[in-house]
Amino acid sequence: MHLRYDDDFVEAAAFMCASGRRHGATALQVRRFHSDRETCYAQSDVDERNAAFFKVHLAWFREWGLEHLLTGFMGEYPLLPGALKVLAFRQARGRNEEGAELYVSTGKVRNAMVALRMDRLERDAPLLRFLRHEFMHLHDMVDPAFGYSPQVHLPTHNQTQQRITRERYRLLWDITIDGRLTQAGRETMAGHGQHQAIFERAFSFWPEEKRRHVFESHWSDAQPAHLELLALAADPRDLSHAQEPLPGGSCPLCHFPTFEWVSVGGLAPDSLASIRAHFPHWTPDQGACKRCAEMYEVAGKFELPATMVV
Amino acid sequence: MSNVFNWQLGREMDFPYDAAYPDQQFAFIFNLNRCIGCQSCTMACKSTWTFSKGQEAMWWNNVETKPYGGYPHHWDVKTLDLLEKANPGGQTWSGTPKDLKAPYGEFKGKTIFEAAKTNISPEGAQKALGYLPTDEEWAAPNRYEDNPTGSEKSQRGQMSFTSGEVSAQHKTWFFYLARICNHCSYPACLAACPRNAGYKRPEDGIVLVDQERCRGYRKCMEACPYKKTFYRSTTRTSEKCIGCFPRVEGRDQASGGLPMQTRCMSACVGHIRLQGLVQLNKDGTWKEDRQNPLYYLIHVAKVALPLYPQFGTEPNGYYIPPRWVPRPYLRQMFGPGVDAAIERYSVPDRELLAVLQLFGKDQRICFRYEIKKGPKVFETQIRGRKFEMFDDTIIGYSKDGTKIVETKIEEPFHIRPDKHANSI
Ligand code: SF4
Ligand code: SF4
Ligand SMILES: [Zn+2]
Ligand SMILES: [Zn+2]
C-alpha cells in the first residue's frame, strides 16, 4: 500500500505546525522550515517549483510526525495494507466533504481516499477518533465477510426511497462501527447514547422494545454484514413480504408511500384499461393509491396520456 | 518596540516600528444602516482584482451577516477570545473624551501588540497576537450565515435541524457588515512580516505587500486581526486589498485625472459608502479639515466609528453603527462612541443630513463640501426630540476645486412635458 497526499494537504498541515496551531514544532525547526521553503521560490518553472514545494512540505510533514499520526495505527486494520494499492489523504473544505471513499478501477485495483478538515490536525485525540471510524468503513468495504457492494438500495426503489435507504444504511453501519470500536476500548466519534438517540428518531415507527433490541444487537454486532444492514435499511417495515397493500406501503404505480389504498374492484373499466396501458405488468391485487386511481380515472375518460392530465 | 500614539485609543501604545505617517491617509465610512447585503461590492472587487487562478478563495471585499457570520469563519470572535485570554476582564475603556486625541476616551486594555508578548508561538513571542485560519475557514464566505438556527453541528441528511424549533421569538436581529482592508495606521500585517514585504505608501497610506519580497510565511495572515491578507496557492505569496490605488491616484480614464473612489465604493447599490483622503498631523492625528466630509463625520458629528478599535491597529475604516442592534454588541465592535453616534444619526441635524447625501453620489473623491441653505420643508418629533428638515443643497469638490456633486435634501421633482402620449 502506497501513501499519497494532496499538495495542499501537506502544505496546510505543515503550516498548522509552523504557526503553532498544532503543538510540537520548535523555533529552530520553524526557521529551517521557512528557509527550506524560501529556496523553492527561486525555481522559475512552475511545475518544478510546485514539485520542490511539495518535497519540502512533505519532509516537514514527516518530521513533525504527521505521517506517523495518520497511519501509525494501521495495524488495527489488518486487511487494508494488502487490499489497497493507494491510500491517499486530501483536505476537505467542510464537514460534508469529510470521510473515506473506496475507488475500484475496472482492473479491480482498489484505492482509498480520506478527506478531512485541517482543524482536525490541531489535537490528536479527536483526530484519531475520526480516523479510526473512517478506516473501519474502509476495512469493512474490503472485508469479504462484510460483503460490501456500492449498490445501497433495492433495484425497485425510486430516488427518494434510495436516498432514505442510504441514510438509514449509513446510520446502521456507523452504529456497528462505533460499537465495535467501543468494544475494542477505543474512543469513538459518537457514543452509545448519541447513536441511540439518532437511531430512535430514524426508526420511530417501531415499537419501543423492537427499537431497543435492534439497536443493541447492532451496537454489539462483532461481524456485521452488508446485506443484513441493507435489508433493514431498505425495508424496515418488512412491507415487501406483505400479501396485500399495507398502510404506509408504496403504491406500485407512483411509488409514493400511501395510507389511502382504493378498492380496485370498484374502478371503472376505462380506468383499469388506462392503468394497464401504462403498467402492463400490473395486476389488481397489487392495489393502487387514491391519487393514482383518480388520475387514471380522468385519463380513462379523456383518452389522453395520463401525464397530461395533471 | 516603540511607543506610538493611537488617537482611537486615546493613549500611547507599543508597536514594533517607529511611527511614520503618510502625508494623507486613505479612509472610508460605511453606513451600516443602509447595507442590503447585495454583494455588488464583493463582485466589483473580485471582477477587478481577484479573478485569476489561485485567487478563488480570496475576497478582499466581503459582506458578512452579523452576529453569526464571519469570513474567515469566526475571525472576530477568535481574536476577541485571544485578547480576553491574554487580559481577562481587562479589555475596558474609561477616561474623558478629548477631541482629535481621545474622542472615545482611553482604552485601558491590551492591544494585539501589547498582548502578543504573552502569546508564544513556535518562533517565540508573536509581533501581534493572532492565529492562522485554516484553508477551510477561508474557503466559503457567507456559510450558514442566514440560517435561523444551525444545521452545522447536527447530523447529515434527514436527521438535520435538530433544534430548529427553539428560536427566540421576536428577538432576532442581524445586520450586514461590509469589510475591506482598513489600511491601518499601525498595520499588524506589516509589523509581523519577517521579510519586510509589507509597506505603507507615504503618499496615501495604502498598505501593500511587495510580491517580490513575500516568501509566503503567512505571518501577516496570522497577525492581521481583521484577516484581510490572503494566501495565493499558485504564487505562494500573500495578496491583499490594494485600495484600488490606480483609481485613487486619478489614473482611471473615467475620472479625467481626478482622484477616484475604489471599485467597491463606486459599485455600492445601497449608497452606504464614502471613501476619501484625509490630512494628517506629524503625530498621526487628523489635521483639522472642517469641510472634508470624512473629517466632519468622524471628528465633528462623530457618527462614524472605527471597527474594533481595541485591536490597536488604528484602522482607517469607519462605520455608522446600525440603530437596531443591541448596544453591548455594538460597543464591543465599535467602542464607547456608539451611543452618541446612534443618537446623532437617528435625529440628524441640518449639516449631518446634508453630508449624508454625499454617499454614493459620484465616483470621484470629495475633498471638500459646501452647503447652501434652503427653506424648511418638514418638522416632526423623533423619540421626543424635535427634527427639522431644510431643503439645503450640498456641493462637493474634488482636490483641484472641480465641482463633482451638487444635490438637494429633497428629491427633485421632474415634470414631463405633455407632448408625449403617455404624459398625464
Ligand atoms: S486590515 Fe489587516 S491587512 Fe489591512 S492594513 Fe490592517 S492589519 Fe494590514
Ligand atoms: S454593494 Fe453596498 S449595499 Fe451592497 S453589499 Fe456591498 S456595501 Fe452592502
Ligand atoms: Zn461513518
Ligand atoms: Zn400511486
Side-chain angles (χ1 to χ4, degrees):
Chain A
M1 185 179 74
H2 298 285
L3 292 172
R4 294 253 192 290
Y5 308 96
D6 247 11
D7 290 42
D8 62 347
F9 176 78
V10 279
E11 177 167 0
F15 268 93
M16 292 283 293
C17 299
S19 72
R21 236 181 125 154
R22 186 183 155 73
H23 65 92
T26 66
L28 186 63
Q29 284 178 323
V30 176
R31 270 201 293 282
R32 276 173 45 219
F33 166 71
H34 284 303
S35 74
D36 288 356
R37 286 184 89 249
E38 281 203 22
T39 59
C40 306
Y41 285 88
Q43 292 274 6
S44 52
D45 180 87
V46 178
D47 293 332
E48 279 173 30
R49 187 168 67 223
N50 285 339
F53 272 113
F54 181 71
K55 234 177 105 183
V56 168
H57 293 144
L58 184 63
W60 283 100
F61 179 85
R62 291 184 170 137
E63 173 94 20
W64 279 320
L66 290 165
E67 182 163 87
H68 181 74
L69 182 68
L70 291 177
T71 57
F73 56 98
M74 194 57 83
E76 295 166 25
Y77 305 90
L79 297 178
L80 285 184
L84 297 178
K85 179 142 184 256
V86 169
L87 173 62
F89 290 87
R90 73 167 178 90
Q91 264 198 82
R93 298 286 161 121
R95 240 166 239 259
N96 312 342
E97 264 186 36
E98 284 192 300
E101 298 277 359
L102 184 72
Y103 298 89
V104 184
S105 70
T106 37
K108 295 269 180 255
V109 174
R110 289 186 289 199
N111 298 319
M113 170 81 87
V114 178
L116 66 157
R117 288 178 306 142
M118 296 319 289
D119 57 7
R120 295 233 183 246
L121 295 180
E122 263 172 58
R123 277 167 304 127
D124 292 3
L127 173 70
L128 289 175
R129 284 201 286 273
F130 170 83
L131 289 174
R132 284 208 164 90
H133 181 97
E134 294 305 324
F135 281 17
M136 194 71 115
H137 275 300
L138 289 176
H139 194 261
D140 281 348
M141 284 191 267
V142 302
D143 184 355
F146 186 82
Y148 183 76
S149 143
Q151 207 192 23
V152 186
H153 57 82
L154 301 183
T156 56
H157 273 172
N158 66 24
Q159 281 207 352
T160 311
Q161 290 169 317
Q162 290 181 18
R163 186 179 53 78
I164 295 174
T165 303
R166 262 199 311 276
E167 278 172 18
R168 286 205 201 103
Y169 179 91
R170 180 155 276 270
L171 189 153
L172 291 168
W173 194 8
D174 279 349
I175 292 170
T176 71
I177 285 179
D178 284 351
R180 280 176 285 165
L181 287 171
T182 303
Q183 193 60 37
R186 307 284 176 212
E187 281 185 43
T188 55
M189 295 285 287
H192 182 277
Q194 275 163 290
H195 276 296
Q196 192 165 22
I198 297 168
F199 178 84
E200 300 263 319
R201 269 202 300 279
F203 293 89
S204 56
F205 45 82
W206 280 345
E208 201 186 321
E209 193 165 329
K210 174 160 185 181
R211 284 204 302 264
R212 189 165 341 112
H213 172 75
V214 175
F215 176 79
E216 292 303 340
S217 66
H218 281 83
W219 182 257
S220 59
D221 191 350
Q223 273 223 308
H226 170 75
L227 282 177
E228 283 166 34
L229 298 181
L230 178 58
L232 201 56
D235 188 16
R237 293 182 182 83
D238 204 16
L239 298 170
S240 58
H241 291 106
Q243 293 305 305
E244 73 254 25
L246 281 178
S250 46
C251 164
L253 307 181
C254 66
H255 292 295
F256 281 108
T258 182
F259 291 87
E260 290 185 293
W261 297 95
V262 295
S263 110
V264 175
L267 291 181
D270 278 355
S271 309
L272 287 174
S274 169
I275 295 178
R276 284 215 183 87
H278 289 93
F279 297 93
H281 302 295
W282 178 79
T283 54
D285 60 298
Q286 290 174 330
C289 76
K290 200 170 161 202
R291 300 284 152 268
C292 286
E294 276 167 11
M295 191 172 77
Y296 289 102
E297 192 182 345
V298 182
K301 280 200 189 105
F302 290 98
E303 293 178 8
L304 285 171
T307 46
M308 290 192 58
V309 179
V310 187
Chain B
M1 281 283 170
S2 304
N3 247 338
V4 295
F5 183 73
N6 183 327
W7 65 261
Q8 294 177 353
L9 305 182
R11 66 169 171 87
E12 296 199 325
M13 64 162 204
D14 292 343
F15 187 67
Y17 292 104
D18 286 340
Y21 306 103
D23 307 332
Q24 47 179 3
Q25 173 63 51
F26 175 100
F28 57 88
I29 298 176
F30 292 173
N31 181 354
L32 295 182
N33 295 279
R34 303 183 66 165
C35 178
I36 55 169
C38 65
Q39 307 282 4
S40 304
C41 46
T42 308
M43 293 319 294
C45 176
K46 191 141 214 38
S47 61
T48 308
W49 302 115
T50 63
F51 53 80
S52 300
K53 201 156 181 262
Q55 296 177 311
E56 293 81 1
M58 203 179 269
W59 301 94
W60 294 355
N61 181 109
N62 81 291
V63 184
E64 55 202 43
T65 311
K66 289 295 179 196
Y68 300 119
Y71 174 77
H73 304 158
H74 315 300
W75 64 275
D76 50 350
V77 180
K78 287 191 175 186
T79 302
L80 289 168
D81 252 11
L82 288 172
L83 279 168
E84 184 59 35
K85 279 195 192 113
N87 186 22
Q91 298 295 87
T92 54
W93 295 76
S94 66
T96 5
K98 275 199 298 283
D99 279 351
L100 292 178
K101 284 195 172 263
Y104 321 119
E106 192 182 324
F107 179 58
K108 299 288 185 193
K110 285 187 178 173
T111 66
I112 56 169
F113 304 111
E114 292 156 349
K117 293 166 223 158
T118 50
N119 201 52
I120 309 298
S121 80
E123 293 140 290
Q126 291 180 322
K127 289 278 190 335
L129 181 78
Y131 74 97
L132 182 65
T134 62
D135 291 5
E136 187 215 342
E137 288 163 355
W138 290 110
N142 306 106
R143 178 202 60 158
Y144 299 122
E145 287 190 355
D146 293 341
N147 287 14
T149 173
S151 61
E152 189 186 353
K153 288 205 180 66
S154 58
Q155 297 296 313
R156 301 179 205 202
Q158 64 173 3
M159 269 60 78
S160 303
F161 301 105
T162 47
S163 59
E165 72 281 5
V166 294
S167 67
Q169 271 183 349
H170 308 303
K171 295 239 172 83
T172 312
W173 55 272
F174 69 90
F175 65 98
Y176 298 114
L177 181 68
R179 305 200 299 120
I180 65 172
C181 164
N182 295 294
H183 298 281
C184 305
S185 294
Y186 303 112
C189 56
L190 177 158
C193 179
R195 291 189 45 91
N196 292 333
Y199 64 102
K200 197 165 167 63
R201 303 198 334 160
E203 60 268 44
D204 50 22
I206 287 176
V207 175
L208 298 176
V209 175
D210 183 339
Q211 294 298 302
E212 296 296 319
R213 294 198 62 82
C214 176
R215 286 291 175 268
Y217 280 65
R218 306 196 203 184
K219 284 283 162 194
C220 53
M221 300 166 69
E222 188 180 295
C224 169
Y226 303 96
K227 299 299 171 226
K228 278 295 173 191
T229 66
F230 305 83
Y231 187 66
R232 181 165 179 178
S233 55
T234 46
T235 57
R236 291 194 167 81
T237 53
S238 292
E239 295 182 2
K240 64 177 288 301
C241 162
I242 59 168
C244 291
F245 68 78
R247 286 170 69 99
V248 171
E249 287 168 8
R251 288 198 280 128
D252 190 293
Q253 284 185 1
S255 76
L258 298 176
M260 207 180 195
Q261 300 187 49
T262 66
R263 281 279 289 137
C264 59
M265 312 287 165
S266 308
C268 176
V269 168
H271 289 193
I272 85 154
R273 298 178 169 219
L274 186 72
Q275 177 240 311
L277 291 161
V278 297
Q279 309 300 315
L280 298 186
N281 291 317
K282 287 271 166 285
D283 66 353
T285 54
W286 286 26
K287 211 176 251 170
E288 181 169 348
D289 190 2
R290 184 61 182 70
Q291 297 307 111
N292 179 310
L294 291 150
Y295 181 90
Y296 167 75
L297 291 165
I298 292 159
H299 282 296
V300 182
K302 299 193 178 89
V303 290
L305 305 166
L307 176 65
Y308 291 119
Q310 68 269 41
F311 290 168
T313 63
E314 209 181 281
N316 288 296
Y318 295 83
Y319 292 82
I320 304 180
R323 285 163 304 166
W324 58 89
V325 171
R327 294 295 167 84
Y329 188 88
L330 291 179
R331 285 182 208 119
Q332 172 178 260
M333 187 171 263
F334 302 111
V338 158
D339 300 277
I342 292 183
E343 193 61 25
R344 276 186 220 106
Y345 178 75
S346 305
V347 190
D349 65 20
R350 197 167 176 173
E351 184 169 8
L352 177 54
L353 195 62
V355 175
L356 288 171
Q357 310 309 313
L358 290 173
F359 283 68
K361 283 292 187 307
D362 194 90
Q363 297 204 34
R364 290 161 295 183
I365 291 177
C366 175
F367 286 75
R368 187 170 65 80
Y369 67 88
E370 223 173 69
I371 296 173
K372 275 206 243 140
K373 296 208 159 148
K376 181 150 121 184
V377 287
F378 181 65
E379 188 182 314
T380 189
Q381 295 273 321
I382 300 177
R383 281 192 266 120
R385 283 175 53 201
K386 185 164 157 196
F387 169 72
E388 293 176 305
M389 195 169 111
F390 298 84
D391 193 15
D392 294 337
T393 302
I394 181 155
I395 306 160
Y397 299 95
S398 181
K399 194 183 180 113
D400 67 352
T402 308
K403 180 155 100 180
I404 52 172
V405 205
E406 174 162 354
T407 188
K408 289 181 144 210
I409 301 292
E410 284 223 294
E411 262 190 72
F413 193 77
H414 299 284
I415 298 175
R416 213 162 170 246
D418 60 7
K419 65 180 177 191
H420 304 289
N422 59 353
S423 298
I424 36 166

